[in-house]
Amino acid sequence: MRDANSFYITTPIYYVNDVPHIGHAYTTVAADVLARYWRLRGRDVFFLTGLDEHGQKVQQAAAKSGIDPQAHCDKLAPQFQDLWKRLNISNDAFIRTTDAPHKSVVQRYLQELYDKQLIYQDSYTGWYCTFDERFWTEKDVADGLCPDCKRPVEKLSEHNYFFKMGQYQDRLIDHIKQHPTFIRPESRRNEVLGFLQTQKLGDLSISRPKSRLSWGIELPFDRDYVTYVWFDALVNYVSALEYLPKNPALDQFWPASVHLVGKDILTTHAVYWSTMLMALNLPLPETIFAHGWWTVDGEKMSKSRGNVVDPNKMVDAFGADAFRYFLLREVPFGQDGDFSQSAMVASINSDLANGVGNLLSRTLTMIERFAGGAIPTAGSPAIPEIETRIAAAAATLPATVEHGFGALAFRDNLQAIWELVGLCDEYIDKAAPWQLAKNPEHLPRLNTVLNTTTKALRLLSVLLYPYMPHTAQQLVKQLGLSLDLSRPLPPSAYDWETPLPGVRICKGPGLFPRIETKPQGAKPVSDTPAPPQPTPAAPATTSIPPSPTPTASSPTPQAPAPAQITIDEFLKIQLKTAKVLSAERVPKSDKLLKLQVSLGTEQRQIVAGIGKKYEPETLVGKTIVIVANLKPAKLMGIESQGMVLAAGDTEVRGLATILEDVEPGTKVK
Ligand code: MSP
């Protein structure tokens, strides 16, 4: 049984029916961030990813290319492995379900369940969807179409082997109830519980007759059948521990700490896998976390639409760290999000180039210019009020981030980290070291500014490492520090109170060159566009990089309010259509209404100050416009996950609505 210091994280194993896309990269990057963080904190981490190589999808893809399925898998596997290298993924092992040891573990488990009479043979007639590789019942199928993928289904009758999944229904309900963090986020937990409490759980067909599908693991007790691909695939999480770690380690790492999955494969994990484990007398994973899906430029991503985002192209154009950052900064983990190249460019420019990149560059330039290139010891306070705020933020940040990683709140962590970046920008702007440098009497204050910002950058290097390993290593190198981020790091190495060594800095190229965009916006990502050109890195002159244009993450309060915004800044705001599903008044408020709205792929709750103008029931069914990427906030204790657009200044005069019948969740530009 895994001890508290061991951490086992998995991604789904990806089908090798096609090349990797942004969805694969998303989960794998998220898993990598957790793995890197916990290694840094001294935990014994095992991070597993890999490929799901059996089943109909793979067999069909191989047939299409006219090659044998194994040759097809061998051809595609390096595409995933190479991408993980390019994205700096630090997986400890890579499993392929065609590995011989994996196949024998699957067969051993099947035999065990068969011997325990938990697998039986029966005949089954139903509607079969070839694409989804599953049967549907009569009531599921409307107009002869698969309820999931809408492709035609066919009536099939066959003998198969069934796993007695249904008998675990009550035990599974109890387990979910007793372990609040077993399925996350909570909304998904409620979905699974709702389903289990209202529908009878049937048994699971775990075989496919070879006559229909031959590409799979043969059943040990009947050679005419192969194993259903999901039974085979789910076993990877334990079979890997038998043969892939340096020391086989089922005892050390099972049960898994976190299975990361996309929302579409939550049921197979929460229900199939959990009941399989119960039948095998193995403990259940600690957490199954289902993340949301990416749309692209407001549309579902699909090959037929030609808008599939190729992670390799993102790395080519923007670098691995920027792509990793954007994936986890753009949407709260667990919710759906929209990917657009313009949003990515805007985020790189404001948070990375103007944010942390500029902070490093300003600090190093000032150390070179005013301190002879070595980090000075702090002297007397320069602006005590801001220094106190920085010290307080820096002192609490490590615990905030640790808590955030426990909750898989990748985005909240980045927001918290960027508050420190913003504070440092404010500090430099207000302290104006270039003024202090003019008068030798101010030297002690000047040194405090330089020392404080460098200390903040030291902390940033550690906290950013899981997200942006290369950037963090650059920070360490350019600051002349000797932190080894690839090994467990004692907190004393970056604690705010730990003095900085008076080492020489080693200024290098800018971390994130600003990306120039054409005013009419970037082209869609799927067009194989010429990548936006990074502007050349700031020359290493003695000029001090200016404070960046004010943004949410780097306020410069003394600057006049900008009359105009750039297209980049505008593109950061994500406007979408939403259909009002229900509306009610917020108790004790004559102004606030609580709306439940649909964005097509997700539902949101929005609290809007439109109650004086509208009766709630008049809004139901209307298609309105919302700001979809606003950080959730609480109004009178109720969470609002967005903002509606309305005309009027102090008083609402009209709500922005869409006249036409536009699908909820459509982008508004
Ligand atoms: N082979 C199974 C998983 C078996 S795990 C024991 C599988 N493979 S998959 O390649 O089709 O999908 C892998 C993952 O990609 C899933 O978690 C899925 O949610 C994710 N995504 C596919 N499209 C996606 C988006 N558009 N956005 C985010 N993730 C998406 O399912």
Side-chain angles (χ1 to χ4, degrees), residues 364-646:
L364 294 178
T365 304
M366 292 190 295
I367 292 175
E368 273 182 346
R369 198 163 151 195
F370 307 135
I375 303 169
T377 311
S380 52
I383 309 183
E385 182 263 325
I386 306 186
E387 281 149 11
T388 310
R389 278 197 283 146
I390 292 181
T396 52
L397 207 45
T400 306
V401 165
E402 178 124 339
H403 180 263
F405 279 129
L408 282 81
F410 297 101
R411 183 176 189 251
D412 290 356
N413 272 354
L414 287 171
Q415 278 171 339
I417 295 170
W418 253 258
E419 275 170 27
L420 181 63
V421 175
L423 265 178
C424 290
D425 276 336
E426 180 188 347
Y427 181 49
I428 296 176
D429 291 345
K430 288 198 175 152
W434 46 94
Q435 298 293 349
L436 297 176
K438 289 183 184 158
N439 182 345
E441 272 179 25
H442 290 323
L443 187 64
R445 294 178 65 204
L446 173 63
N447 285 346
T448 300
V449 179
L450 301 183
N451 187 279
T452 305
T453 45
T454 312
K455 260 200 311 182
L457 283 161
R458 173 179 67 183
L459 178 60
L460 289 170
S461 74
V462 177
L463 299 178
L464 289 179
Y465 171 74
Y467 292 93
M468 299 193 283
H470 177 72
T471 302
Q473 272 149 349
Q474 273 299 311
L475 279 167
V476 167
K477 189 169 160 216
Q478 296 203 24
L479 293 168
L481 304 176
S482 56
L483 296 177
D484 182 356
L485 297 169
S486 65
R487 304 178 68 82
L489 211 56
S492 59
Y494 50 92
D495 195 88
W496 190 250
E497 300 307 328
T498 304
L500 266 176
V503 291
R504 293 204 71 76
I505 57 153
C506 177
K507 193 170 189 297
L511 294 183
F512 296 98
R514 242 191 101 77
I515 298 163
E516 296 304 331
T517 47
K518 300 220 169 67
Q520 60 272 47
K523 282 171 129 205
V525 280
S526 47
D527 273 351
T528 329
Q533 288 309 309
T535 46
T541 63
T542 52
S543 67
I544 295 156
S547 165
T549 325
T551 65
S553 58
S554 55
T556 49
Q558 76 278 41
Q564 293 180 321
I565 59 167
T566 64
I567 187 83
D568 284 347
E569 284 160 334
F570 172 71
L571 288 171
K572 284 189 83 177
I573 303 170
Q574 205 179 75
L575 301 176
K576 283 192 175 176
T577 60
K579 190 163 191 154
V580 181
L581 302 174
S582 66
E584 61 183 270
R585 289 197 175 276
V586 169
K588 299 198 192 110
S589 166
D590 58 347
K591 214 172 136 196
L592 295 182
L593 297 187
K594 185 168 89 176
L595 312 179
Q596 301 297 334
V597 300
S598 162
L599 267 72
T601 51
E602 60 166 311
Q603 193 176 321
R604 297 265 189 105
Q605 170 170 294
I606 296 186
V607 181
I610 52 175
K612 283 194 178 159
K613 172 80 182 164
Y614 295 103
E615 286 307 322
E617 51 282 2
T618 60
L619 298 173
V620 176
K622 290 239 170 0
T623 299
I624 59 172
V625 179
I626 69 157
V627 180
N629 61 341
L630 198 65
K631 192 176 172 188
K634 283 200 169 158
L635 297 172
M636 293 189 69
I638 304 173
E639 178 162 308
S640 182
Q641 301 152 338
M643 188 173 92
V644 304
L645 294 192

Side-chain angles (χ1 to χ4, degrees), residues 12-15 21-24 26-27 52 230 233-234 236-237 261-265 269 291-294 301:
I13 48 172
Y14 306 114
Y15 283 128
H21 58 60
I22 186 177
H24 304 123
Y26 187 41
T27 331
D52 191 351
W230 271 101
L234 289 162
N236 94 88
Y237 299 131
V261 299
K263 61 180 183 179
D264 56 317
I265 56 171
H269 282 79
H291 65 67
W293 268 42
W294 289 96
M301 184 172 80

Side-chain angles (χ1 to χ4, degrees), residues 11-19 21-27 50-54 57 80 97 229-237 260-266 268-269 273 291-296 299-302 336-337:
T11 72
I13 48 172
Y14 306 114
Y15 283 128
V16 280
N17 55 341
D18 213 338
V19 294
H21 58 60
I22 186 177
H24 304 123
Y26 187 41
T27 331
L51 298 176
D52 191 351
E53 304 196 329
H54 290 127
K57 284 188 182 146
F80 286 83
T97 52
V229 68
W230 271 101
F231 190 100
D232 161 1
L234 289 162
V235 168
N236 94 88
Y237 299 131
L260 283 187
V261 299
K263 61 180 183 179
D264 56 317
I265 56 171
L266 176 60
T268 45
H269 282 79
W273 181 223
H291 65 67
W293 268 42
W294 289 96
T295 49
V296 178
E299 297 199 337
K300 193 169 181 298
M301 184 172 80
S302 73
D336 291 333

Side-chain angles (χ1 to χ4, degrees), residues 106-114 119 219-221 227 231:
V106 171
Q107 289 182 324
R108 200 177 77 219
Y109 283 157
L110 284 165
Q111 189 66 50
E112 185 181 329
L113 296 184
Y114 188 70
I119 287 177
L219 292 189
F221 42 82
T227 312
F231 190 100

Side-chain angles (χ1 to χ4, degrees), residues 236-311:
N236 94 88
Y237 299 131
V238 287
S239 70
L241 297 179
E242 288 200 22
Y243 69 97
L244 288 175
K246 273 184 234 115
N247 308 304
L250 192 63
D251 275 356
Q252 192 194 344
F253 290 112
W254 193 257
S257 313
V258 184
H259 285 323
L260 283 187
V261 299
K263 61 180 183 179
D264 56 317
I265 56 171
L266 176 60
T267 310
T268 45
H269 282 79
V271 181
Y272 298 6
W273 181 223
S274 301
T275 54
M276 282 163 65
L277 287 165
M278 285 175 179
L280 291 164
N281 285 325
L282 285 168
L284 268 51
E286 195 177 314
T287 293
I288 302 171
F289 193 105
H291 65 67
W293 268 42
W294 289 96
T295 49
V296 178
D297 291 314
E299 297 199 337
K300 193 169 181 298
M301 184 172 80
S302 73
K303 250 180 140 175
S304 53
R305 283 195 171 90
N307 64 353
V308 176
V309 179
D310 174 355

